[in-house]
């Protein structure tokens, strides 16, 4: 597997956790530590064949053999890479660069002060009411109030006589794909495959994230 | 902190050495102050009331009485603002947080120096 020197459109990783530093002026910089890569390109998608330009990338990680079914094994064998658990695609600007299956993407291909978007799955909050889920204000707690955290009216009677689609109601919260855009890379530690970004990133520690170069 | 990787990263950003500080110590904190372009050092001397948090987040609460008015400052130990810390005196205290000193003044707020080991 060769290393690729063109600008990688993104890299996959794992959220390790958060900590903080001080800058020269003594201000605290909150950072999220992301284990980024090593990644391998598994498939090149082209406009001619797939309708769009992209690379499919996998995060190199140990995976037990019995977890890989035959179709997947074939897919990885075709690229000449070991099986991986976490695969994502990154779009390529049309005609850009010559990525080939088997190319590596490493943390060191990113530089401090660059901006990235981080895509992850937010922490699941379970079935939540409307106050937590949609930031409704709720009612008064005391002084005879009988209206606390209920959603209130969800529509009128004679007309329209139905509840409009998209009405915000209680339900499952979190556990969804969330993109945080424009995070600044604070530090890159190539020896540890670590990228440190300023600010928070969706998901729990140990969760998989995709790190995409911000446009 | 539980994570070895985080610990390693914190260590790279921590100060190489911080003097051993204990609650009750009379300390002098050398504070970097920026005034426009110039930078100077101001000294804040007082009693170390408490150490809070751990690792790179660790802070110390220092109390002094200035013109009869109690003043407390909280310093992040690993901040570059804190240039240096000198221990002037070590006092014998029996708890980790000395918040009770806030209510005492004058003679009652004194601490006894610790016998040298």
């Amino acid at each position: 597997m060769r290393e690729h020197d063109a600008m990688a459109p993104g890299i996959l990783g794992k959220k390790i956790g958060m900590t903080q530093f001080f800058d020269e002026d003594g201000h605290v910089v909150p950072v999220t530590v992301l284990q980024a890569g090593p990644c391998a390109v598994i498939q090149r998608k082209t406009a001619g064949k797939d309708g769009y330009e992209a690379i499919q990338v996998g995060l190199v990680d140990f995976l037990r053999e019995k977890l890989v079914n035959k179709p997947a094994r074939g897919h990885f064998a075709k690229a000449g890479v070991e099986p991986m658990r976490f695969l994502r695609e990154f779009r390529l600007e049309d005609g850009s660069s010559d990525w080939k299956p088997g190319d590596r993407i490493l943390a060191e291909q990113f530089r401090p002060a660059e901006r990235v978007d981080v895509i992850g799955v937010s922490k699941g909050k379970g079935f939540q009411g409307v106050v937590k889920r949609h930031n409704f204000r709720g009612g008064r707690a005391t002084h005879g109030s009988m209206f606390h955290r209920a959603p209130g009216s969800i529509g009128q009677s004679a007309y329209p006589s139905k509840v409009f689609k998209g009405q915000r109601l209680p339900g499952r919260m979190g556990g969804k794909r969330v993109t945080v855009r424009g995070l600044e890379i604070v530090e890159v530690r190539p020896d540890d495959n670590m990228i440190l970004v300023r600010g928070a990133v969706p998901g729990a520690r140990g969760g998989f994230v995709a790190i995409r170069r911000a446009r | 902190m539980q994570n070895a990787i985080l610990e390693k990263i914190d260590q790279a950003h921590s100060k190489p050495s911080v003097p051993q500080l204990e609650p009750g110590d009379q300390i002098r904190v050398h504070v970097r102050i920026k005034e426009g372009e110039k930078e100077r050092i101001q000294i804040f001397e007082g009693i170390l009331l408490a150490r809070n948090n751990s690792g790179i987040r660790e802070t110390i609460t220092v109390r002094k009485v200035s013109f009869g008015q109690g003043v407390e400052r909280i310093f992040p130990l690993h901040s570059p603002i804190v240039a240096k810390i000198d221990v002037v005196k070590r006092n014998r205290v029996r708890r980790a947080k000395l918040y009770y000193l806030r209510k005492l003044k004058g003679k009652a707020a004194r601490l006894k120096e610790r016998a040298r080991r």
Side-chain angles (χ1 to χ4, degrees), chain A residues 3 11 33-39 104-112 185-196, chain B residues 5 8-9 12-13:
Chain A
E3 234 174 77
I11 191 169
V33 181
L34 302 170
Q35 186 223 315
C39 286
R104 293 255 152 178
I105 302 177
L106 298 171
E108 67 196 41
Q109 290 165 359
F110 292 79
R111 295 268 165 263
I185 294 182
V186 180
E187 195 182 313
V188 178
R189 301 170 73 88
D191 299 342
D192 302 328
N193 289 316
M194 294 289 157
I195 290 180
L196 279 59
Chain B
I5 302 163
K8 194 172 151 196
I9 288 167
H13 288 266

Side-chain angles (χ1 to χ4, degrees), chain A residues 64 90 105 117 143 146 205:
Chain A
R64 272 175 297 147
F90 291 107
I105 302 177
D117 302 335
H143 288 268
M146 287 157 67
R205 282 169 301 205

Side-chain angles (χ1 to χ4, degrees), chain A residues 66-120:
Chain A
K66 72 170 186 179
L67 293 176
V68 190
N69 61 19
K70 264 196 175 168
R73 204 167 300 166
H75 186 55
F76 291 116
K78 199 175 164 194
V81 296
E82 60 271 52
M84 290 170 230
R85 195 187 298 267
F86 183 57
L87 309 183
R88 285 290 180 272
E89 284 184 13
F90 291 107
R91 293 296 279 259
L92 294 174
E93 306 303 327
D94 284 314
S96 78
S97 67
D98 58 335
W99 293 91
K100 274 190 281 298
D103 286 350
R104 293 255 152 178
I105 302 177
L106 298 171
E108 67 196 41
Q109 290 165 359
F110 292 79
R111 295 268 165 263
E114 278 174 357
R115 299 269 169 183
V116 290
D117 302 335
V118 179
I119 304 157

Side-chain angles (χ1 to χ4, degrees), chain B:
Chain B
M1 211 169 290
Q2 66 296 74
N3 190 299
I5 302 163
L6 285 182
E7 218 156 277
K8 194 172 151 196
I9 288 167
D10 277 357
Q11 228 149 54
H13 288 266
S14 299
K15 289 188 181 167
S17 74
V18 174
Q20 209 198 338
L21 299 172
E22 277 171 58
D25 291 354
Q26 174 93 20
I27 58 174
R28 292 158 68 88
V29 184
H30 297 244
V31 191
R32 282 210 179 95
I33 292 182
K34 265 216 168 109
E35 281 167 337
E37 294 294 280
K38 266 187 273 178
E39 198 184 78
R40 63 192 184 81
I41 299 271
Q42 194 181 62
I43 292 173
F44 188 89
E45 179 167 354
I47 300 283
L48 179 60
L49 281 197
R51 298 172 54 147
N52 284 304
N53 304 329
S54 65
I56 198 168
R57 287 182 175 83
E58 182 164 359
T59 59
I60 53 172
T61 305
V62 186
R63 178 185 172 85
K64 75 169 174 186
V65 177
S66 171
F67 301 103
Q69 179 66 51
V71 178
E72 281 182 21
R73 282 193 71 173
I74 298 172
F75 298 102
L77 259 193
H78 290 281
S79 167
I81 293 290
V82 176
K84 195 169 78 164
I85 300 175
D86 298 329
V87 178
V88 182
K89 219 165 77 173
R90 313 215 114 149
N91 296 307
R92 195 180 86 97
V93 293
R94 302 179 70 166
R95 52 214 67 211
K97 312 283 182 198
L98 306 180
Y99 300 135
Y100 70 91
L101 286 177
R102 289 169 179 169
K103 289 192 199 131
L104 307 177
K105 45 187 172 184
K107 268 190 176 179
R110 287 171 308 167
L111 295 172
K112 259 210 191 104
E113 189 160 1
R114 201 155 66 183
R116 304 240 173 254
R117 268 167 297 180

Side-chain angles (χ1 to χ4, degrees), chain A residues 130-151:
Chain A
V130 102
V131 173
K132 188 182 179 81
R133 190 171 183 224
H134 298 300
N135 300 322
F136 284 17
R137 270 186 279 265
R140 213 179 201 301
T142 56
H143 288 268
S145 167
M146 287 157 67
F147 180 77
H148 302 303
R149 298 174 67 90

